[in-house]
Amino acid sequence: MNDAIIKISGLTKRYGEKTAVNNLYLTVEPGEVFGLLGPNGAGKTTTTLMLLGLTEPTEGFAWIDGLDCTKDSVEIKKTVGYLPDNAGFYGDLTGRENLRFTGMLNGLDRELCEKRIDELIGRVGLSEAADQKTSTYSRGMKQRLGIADVLMKDPKVIIMDEPTSSLTKNEIDILFTLIDRLRAQGVSIIYISHRLEEFERVGDRLSVLRDGQYIGTLEKKDFQVDT
């Protein structure tokens, strides 16, 4: 097994007397789709914020690709792509222009940027809507554009937070096919959801969280849903 690209050791976050995440230990391997399963309030979002360097842990550490998620937060943002459950864009810009802006922010040269935009727009099924303003997009279309936006910087790690919440069945199939391709390319994905059946389709392992507590980690064979 390869060295883990994500290592979480004793990660804890307290807000006053409330413990949002309590003593979490996890590892994620290169090319692994690792699930975080739990209801609202389980600690999934707080864990994500700590991994992205957006909030500091009370105790413990997290590393991504050898970078400390707290001390190296600027570099972390170059390595990690984040897809929230409700992706937002500049509504007065087209889908293509939004992706171009992301490419510029990540220092892509113009030729590579335009090539990547064309490729990703096709991969997420937005070719016909690429030159429409995103204010006209449905929520599902914005979510698909969000996937393309995440991939603009060619991340080693992607965190997907409830990524299917606004997608149709066809759009979910597109997303899951894309996840399979990313896994094959060695991209590691943390997939956050409260739907066990989604992990059966795309997950390799999953950890269960409840009230900030780590309940356990399951291999794929242990969480497959009978059909």
Side-chain angles (χ1 to χ4, degrees):
M1 183 173 287
N2 295 321
D3 290 338
I5 192 167
I6 301 174
K7 298 179 182 179
I8 296 175
S9 177
L11 203 61
T12 301
K13 182 64 179 182
R14 301 188 187 94
Y15 297 99
E17 296 183 356
K18 177 178 174 56
T19 301
V21 176
N22 188 19
N23 200 32
L24 183 63
Y25 286 82
L26 294 176
T27 59
V28 180
E29 305 299 324
E32 182 176 27
V33 179
F34 190 95
L36 285 182
L37 173 69
N40 292 336
K44 306 187 302 294
T45 297
T46 302
T47 300
T48 298
L49 293 175
M50 289 188 283
L51 288 173
L52 294 172
L54 298 177
T55 189
E56 293 189 10
T58 306
E59 297 173 8
F61 304 92
W63 299 269
I64 298 179
D65 198 26
L67 299 171
D68 186 301
C69 293
T70 300
K71 297 178 181 178
D72 304 315
S73 59
V74 174
E75 291 300 314
I76 286 290
K77 291 176 176 62
K78 297 177 182 178
T79 300
V80 181
Y82 175 56
L83 179 67
D85 63 346
N86 189 9
F89 295 96
Y90 294 105
D92 59 339
L93 299 180
T94 67
R96 186 183 303 277
E97 289 168 341
N98 271 281
L99 294 182
R100 186 176 294 131
F101 181 66
T102 296
M104 291 171 58
L105 288 179
N106 285 279
L108 299 182
D109 66 66
R110 185 172 182 82
E111 183 177 352
L112 176 59
C113 184
E114 296 303 318
K115 180 180 179 181
R116 191 166 292 175
I117 288 171
D118 287 338
E119 175 191 354
L120 293 174
I121 283 174
R123 287 173 70 179
V124 300
L126 285 175
S127 297
E128 293 183 2
D131 296 308
Q132 297 175 17
K133 291 185 177 181
T134 57
S135 59
T136 68
Y137 282 21
S138 68
R139 187 175 177 186
M141 291 170 69
K142 288 180 180 177
Q143 195 73 347
R144 283 188 281 154
L145 185 64
I147 296 167
D149 186 75
V150 164
L151 295 176
M152 280 297 295
K153 60 182 175 181
D154 195 22
K156 293 183 179 180
V157 173
I158 301 174
I159 299 175
M160 296 183 174
D161 191 352
E162 301 285 357
T164 66
S165 61
S166 57
L167 301 184
T168 65
K169 183 181 183 304
N170 183 60
E171 289 171 330
I172 291 172
D173 289 341
I174 291 173
L175 172 64
F176 287 171
T177 297
L178 183 57
I179 288 174
D180 287 338
R181 291 176 180 172
L182 291 169
R183 176 198 281 116
Q185 294 168 8
V187 177
S188 301
I189 297 173
I190 294 182
Y191 190 102
I192 301 170
S193 180
H194 62 276
R195 299 184 179 95
L196 180 60
E197 63 271 16
E198 294 186 6
F199 295 110
E200 181 192 29
R201 170 64 179 81
V202 296
D204 297 307
R205 290 188 297 148
L206 71 86
S207 280
V208 182
L209 302 179
R210 183 182 301 149
D211 297 326
Q213 298 285 338
Y214 167 70
I215 304 301
T217 297
L218 301 175
E219 301 291 334
K220 187 177 182 69
K221 62 181 177 61
D222 297 320
F223 60 77
Q224 286 183 317
V225 179
D226 293 334
T227 56

